[in-house]
Amino acid sequence: MKPAATNRPPPDSLRRHAPNTKTCGERSEAAFLYKASQLGFGVAKPWGDSERYDFILDNGHRLLRVQIKATDTLRAHAYETRATYTAGKGRAVYSLNDIDFLVAHIIPLDTWYVLPVQACADSSMLRFYPHRIAKKMRLEIYREAWHLMRPTA
């Protein structure tokens, strides 16, 4: 006896298109929403994408503007992402006028870097080296630094 036919497509054909930077970013935003809510933060998403921040976090005392950046590829032995936004025909580095934190998601390692925006002021490109153990890199102090978004005593 022949098995009954189903109308379900094979799993690979469910994908409408190959992953790209936009879909990777959307997945990282979903992962951030889950992670931040699991850590006890209130999380809100602004309507549309006109703001310079992706989320508003409520830490119980203050609302924080958070920009998410995602990276999934090693370049010159580092995961990198821009600490910039489009401004007219150019790019501008985030400042305290724009956001409070930039949170970078290293997708293949599911690792998060929680950077106060002041840590981004010196460079438009952020380079992360989570795989290097011998030498501590400048941004390693921000790896999984979720405590920086908690209220200070």
Side-chain angles (χ1 to χ4, degrees):
M1 190 158 136
K2 205 176 191 186
T6 65
N7 290 333
R8 286 189 213 165
D12 287 345
S13 65
L14 291 175
R15 183 171 297 202
R16 294 185 320 220
H17 47 78
N20 57 40
T21 56
K22 183 160 177 63
T23 58
C24 286
E26 290 166 347
R27 289 177 186 166
S28 286
E29 285 186 17
F32 174 83
L33 175 82
Y34 179 75
K35 177 82 172 181
S37 63
Q38 286 293 102
L39 292 171
F41 292 103
V43 184
K45 178 91 171 128
W47 175 255
D49 60 1
S50 300
E51 300 299 334
R52 298 216 173 103
Y53 47 90
D54 294 315
F55 290 97
I56 301 166
L57 249 60
D58 184 346
N59 70 6
H61 293 324
R62 181 169 171 227
L63 299 178
L64 303 169
R65 301 161 298 165
V66 179
Q67 174 63 35
I68 308 301
K69 295 292 185 174
T71 180
D72 64 355
T73 307
L74 274 172
R75 290 186 180 91
H77 307 290
Y79 291 96
E80 60 184 23
T81 189
R82 292 180 187 267
T84 62
Y85 60 91
T86 303
K89 293 185 178 187
R91 301 195 72 75
V93 177
Y94 289 105
S95 74
L96 268 173
N97 292 330
D98 306 309
I99 62 174
D100 299 300
F101 286 88
L102 184 146
V103 177
H105 186 209
I106 312 301
I107 297 169
L109 305 175
D110 194 26
T111 299
W112 299 89
Y113 287 82
V114 180
L115 291 83
V117 69
Q118 300 91 325
C120 307
D122 296 338
S123 179
S124 62
M125 186 65 73
L126 302 175
R127 299 178 59 80
F128 302 98
Y129 300 88
H131 48 288
R132 284 195 180 169
I133 298 169
K135 183 178 177 186
K136 285 286 186 187
M137 306 311 282
R138 177 177 77 93
L139 299 176
E140 281 306 298
I141 61 172
Y142 301 111
R143 188 194 307 196
E144 303 295 342
W146 299 96
H147 65 279
L148 296 176
M149 290 197 232
R150 298 255 178 234
T152 55

